[in-house]
Amino acid sequence: MDLVWRGLIEALRLIAHGDPQLRQIASLSLLVSLSATLLAALIGVPLGVMLVALRFRGRMIAQTIVNTGMGLPPVVVGLGISILLWRTGPFGALALLYTPAAMVLAQFLVAAPLVTGFTRSALELLNPDILETLRVDGAAAPTTTYELVRAAQPQVLVAIAAGFGRAIAEVGASLMVGGNILAHTRILTTAIALETGRGDFALAIALGIVLLALAFFVNAALSYLSGVRVWAAWAR
């Protein structure tokens, strides 16, 4: 127990003094995870709408793929990306392996199915008359997407928050495709694993506190937006 308290005190000291290594790791982690979440939202939300609004051959298979992706092991994602980006792989010439871009791709692949699946579930709870009205009016696909997402905005924001949580907490794939290189691809989760293995519990605890704080503030912002939407709808 004494080890925990000493580590916690040292962690708070590092945070209070703005340790440069801690700031750099936290900044890169936030940048990578927010970028992956943005991509997951831009692709996952429209896909979720498509699974609800369209009737097409293979729709059930697509839904099954999304459901499977929601539980996709990150190490499998890391393996697949590593093979594709390896210097002798199909995209090796791009030299993206062990770069932040590869980490964004890995986190996007683990976050997008969650955003898609939760968005689909949220839209399925809407009044079916909304979709039927849009179809009768001959609304174009972008208009249909916008109106459905607007109607379920709080729940869609929850889907995006879930995607961000999956992205920022991801460690296996990020470690495999990023390499955990200091000042280049080291992010919070991979750094926590490394420092714990080294026995540097103070830095590991500090990194853990920062990770939890970032997750809290981003989710608080999304919850605030969701709350504003609910309040505005009630006020009308």
Side-chain angles (χ1 to χ4, degrees), residues 10-76:
E10 180 64 15
L12 294 176
R13 187 191 68 79
L14 290 172
I15 295 173
H17 288 79
D19 181 73
Q21 181 180 348
L22 184 61
R23 289 204 312 269
Q24 191 277 328
I25 293 173
S27 298
L28 180 60
S29 184
L30 188 61
L31 176 63
V32 168
S33 296
L34 285 177
S35 298
T37 304
L38 178 60
L39 290 174
L42 290 175
I43 294 176
V45 171
L47 284 177
V49 173
M50 183 184 73
L51 291 174
V52 173
L54 300 182
R55 297 294 182 266
F56 56 90
R57 182 175 297 177
R59 179 169 171 268
M60 293 303 298
I61 295 177
Q63 291 183 342
T64 301
I65 292 174
V66 170
N67 291 338
T68 302
M70 293 174 71
L72 186 65
V75 290
V76 175

Side-chain angles (χ1 to χ4, degrees), residues 75-98:
V75 290
V76 175
V77 174
L79 174 62
I81 295 176
S82 297
I83 292 173
L84 292 175
L85 299 183
W86 198 256
R87 60 181 179 274
T88 56
F91 303 102
L94 298 177
L96 292 178
L97 195 60
Y98 304 134

